[in-house]
Amino acid sequence: MAATYDPNNIFARILRGEIPCKKVFENEHALAFNDINPQAPTHILVIPKGPYVDMDDFTAKASDAEVAGLFKAVGEVARQAGVVADGYRTLSNCGRDAHQEVPHLHIHIFAGRDLGGMIGRPKA
Ligand code: AMP
């Protein structure tokens, strides 16, 4: 069962304008901004504007328009960032085993270098 949404999580506060972000794109249902601790030359987070904890919560409860708005935003952000030709990786951590840190759904976009293998080893 998905955790209860915490309206004071950091991305909710960004959406309310209480905390600044480096916005790169926005549509009706999604906001995209640079990750504060980039793991690649391009590292952008795309989040839904609605209160969804993670991918499970979002895909169970969001409207078709919200789902479309989020995934359209991912593609648009990648095109605007100019990373399509060389390639990019999307990733969304969901829950404990994925080490999700912020409990508001976010899709990472990584690009700008060889991104290596698909999945890491467990932390020691
Ligand atoms: P995850 O482990 O998938 O939950 O990733 C959370 C991501 O949020 C990390 O890559 C953090 O660097 C990023 N992050 C945390 N706080 C902020 C913030 N205020 N602005 C932008 N990115 C943030």
Side-chain angles (χ1 to χ4, degrees), residues 37-43 83 86-89 110-117:
N37 183 23
Q39 305 296 309
T42 296
H43 185 173
V83 300
D86 286 346
Y88 64 96
R89 177 172 293 157
F110 302 103
R113 65 168 169 82
D114 186 316
L115 295 166

Side-chain angles (χ1 to χ4, degrees), residues 14-15 21-35 43-49 65-82 107 109:
I14 285 174
L15 283 166
C21 73
K22 292 199 171 158
K23 182 169 91 171
V24 298
F25 179 81
E26 184 172 15
N27 67 19
E28 186 183 352
H29 296 295
L31 175 70
F33 51 89
N34 288 320
D35 195 290
H43 185 173
I44 297 168
L45 302 173
V46 188
I47 69 172
K49 290 184 175 176
E66 289 176 296
V67 174
L70 181 68
F71 282 89
K72 290 266 186 192
V74 170
E76 190 61 33
V77 165
R79 286 188 288 277
Q80 286 190 10
I107 297 176
I109 298 176

Side-chain angles (χ1 to χ4, degrees), residues 10-11 14 19 33-37 43 45 93 99-102 106 108:
I10 194 120
F11 294 167
I14 285 174
I19 291 176
F33 51 89
N34 288 320
D35 195 290
I36 205 167
N37 183 23
H43 185 173
L45 302 173
N93 292 315
H99 296 263
Q100 180 180 359
E101 289 174 5
V102 179
H106 46 286
H108 298 257

Side-chain angles (χ1 to χ4, degrees), residues 5 7 9 15 48-54 57 61 66 103-105:
Y5 185 77
N9 77 75
L15 283 166
K49 290 184 175 176
Y52 301 105
V53 176
D54 55 23
D57 193 26
K61 297 182 190 157
E66 289 176 296
H104 181 114
L105 172 62

